[in-house]
Amino acid sequence: MKKITAILAAVGAALGGVAPAAAATSGSPVAYVRNGDIYVSRGSAETRLTTGGGRSRPHWSPDGRQIAYLKGGQLWTMKADGTAARRLTTRAAAGPSWSPDGRWIAFASLSCTGGPGVYRIAATGGNPAVLFPRDCREQDLPGEPALPTGRAPTSLTERLRTDDAVAWSPDGSKIAFRGGDCESVYDACLSVGTVATGGEQTVAAYGGGSLQNRGFAVVPGWRADGKRLAWTAYQEGETAAQNEPVHLVEYDPASRVKRTVGGVGDRELTYLDATHGLVTGQYRGHSWVMTVGLTDGSRTPLREGSQPSVLAAKR
C-alpha cells in the first residue's frame, strides 16, 4: 500500500489554497456532527436537528426518512427533520448501519466472547439478535454492558482506536466491523462477515501473529456498488519510517488490493460516487466535512463538523 507520507506535500498544498464553499454532493443531503449535535446540509442550507450535545455517528435510512444515531452510548432513531426521537436499545451500542431494505439496523455491542460483536434490531424496535460472532448466535444474549462513564479519551487516535462503527454492504449480504475471530490471532483487526453463514474474512490486521506493528482499522464504509470498502487506519511500524498517522484506506474486495486515499488526518469516508467521497479532515484548525477527489486529491470544505453520512441516490 502506498505510504501516506508520500502524499503529504500534495495534500498540504491543496488544503492551503481552498476556501469554504458548498461541496458538489449532487443535491444529496449530508448528516454530520458538530459539538455533539446532528446537522443536515442540503445544498447551501444547513439545519440543526438536535440540541444538548451527546450525539454521534448519524446514519441515513435508505429511504431518507430517518436517521439512526448514538446518544448516551445507546442506539436511537429520529425522523429526518429531527422529530420523533426514539431509543431502540438499552444495551450499550456503537456505530449503527441500516440494512439496504431499511428493515434492520446493525450495531456493535459486547458479544458472548467478551469482545465486540455485531447485532441487528428491527428498525421499529424489539429484541436484538446476534449476527457476529457466529458461535454466539445460539447462545443467550450476554448481560447488558455498562454504559460509558468517566472521562472520554482526548486524543484522536485513542478515540478512534475503539470505535466500533459497522457497515452493512449495499447488497445486504455482508457487514464490515472491527474485531471478529481474527482477534484470536491479532491485537487489532477489521473483518467482513457474511450475514447468511456467519463466516468472516480478515481485511486488515495489526500486531500478533507475524506482524510487528501496532494500529487499528475502524469506521468502515462501502461504495454504493459494493466494489470498494474504505476504512480509517493508523499504524505504528517497527521503525519510524513505517509509521502511518490517521489516514484512509480503500480496499478492493475482489482483488484484495489496498490503497491510501485522501490526505493525512482524513477519516470517516462516506462515498458520493466512484471518484468522490466525504471525509472528516482538518481545515482552519478544526474538523470539517470535506469533499475529496479519490483520484485527483482535490478538496473542498463543506461544513464544520465530523462523521458525515450522505443519503445515497437510488441506483
Side-chain angles (χ1 to χ4, degrees), residues 16-291:
V18 295
T25 59
S26 301
S28 299
V30 179
Y32 48 94
V33 174
R34 184 190 305 148
N35 297 325
D37 281 307
I38 298 172
Y39 292 73
V40 169
S41 178
R42 292 178 174 87
S44 60
E46 178 182 71
T47 304
R48 183 175 183 173
L49 299 185
T50 68
T51 60
R55 277 79 166 181
S56 62
R57 293 284 169 229
H59 197 278
W60 286 101
S61 65
D63 62 7
R65 295 179 179 178
Q66 297 185 79
I67 296 174
Y69 62 98
L70 302 178
K71 176 186 175 185
Q74 296 175 326
L75 175 62
W76 291 64
T77 60
M78 62 181 172
K79 290 184 178 180
D81 62 1
T83 63
R86 180 186 184 191
R87 188 180 68 184
L88 293 189
T89 64
T90 56
R91 302 184 65 83
S97 181
W98 295 77
S99 63
D101 61 10
R103 295 177 56 204
W104 305 95
I105 302 174
F107 65 96
S109 190
L110 182 72
S111 77
C112 72
T113 65
V118 180
Y119 294 72
R120 75 174 185 182
I121 190 170
T124 54
N127 295 320
V130 176
L131 294 178
F132 304 99
R134 173 175 51 197
D135 292 345
C136 294
R137 292 185 177 185
E138 303 304 320
Q139 300 188 31
D140 293 336
L141 295 184
E144 295 186 0
L147 295 173
T149 58
R151 186 178 64 85
T154 56
S155 74
L156 174 61
T157 54
E158 290 307 308
R159 292 199 306 271
L160 288 171
R161 189 181 299 277
T162 55
D163 194 310
D164 287 330
V166 305
W168 213 315
S169 67
D171 65 2
S173 67
K174 301 179 186 300
I175 293 178
F177 58 97
R178 185 181 79 87
D181 292 339
C182 51
E183 287 194 326
S184 64
V185 178
Y186 303 107
D187 296 335
C189 53
L190 185 76
S191 300
V192 173
T194 301
V195 174
T197 66
E200 298 178 18
Q201 176 193 347
T202 304
V203 296
Y206 299 85
S210 61
L211 299 179
Q212 303 300 314
N213 63 358
R214 296 180 66 245
F216 55 78
V218 295
V219 196
W222 296 90
R223 203 168 76 182
D225 59 7
K227 294 182 178 180
R228 294 291 185 273
L229 173 68
W231 59 78
T232 301
Y234 171 84
Q235 176 174 288
E236 297 174 18
E238 289 187 79
T239 67
Q242 295 173 324
N243 291 347
E244 296 183 345
V246 171
H247 61 286
L248 290 166
V249 173
E250 185 179 62
Y251 173 74
D252 182 339
S255 67
R256 301 191 179 183
V257 171
K258 302 173 185 175
R259 70 179 185 123
T260 298
V261 295
V264 64
D266 284 351
R267 60 193 191 273
E268 304 162 342
L269 171 64
T270 182
Y271 283 94
L272 290 171
D273 53 39
T275 59
H276 293 83
L278 292 176
V279 307
T280 302
Q282 287 297 303
Y283 180 70
R284 292 183 170 177
H286 298 279
S287 293
W288 275 64
V289 176
M290 315 274 292
T291 303

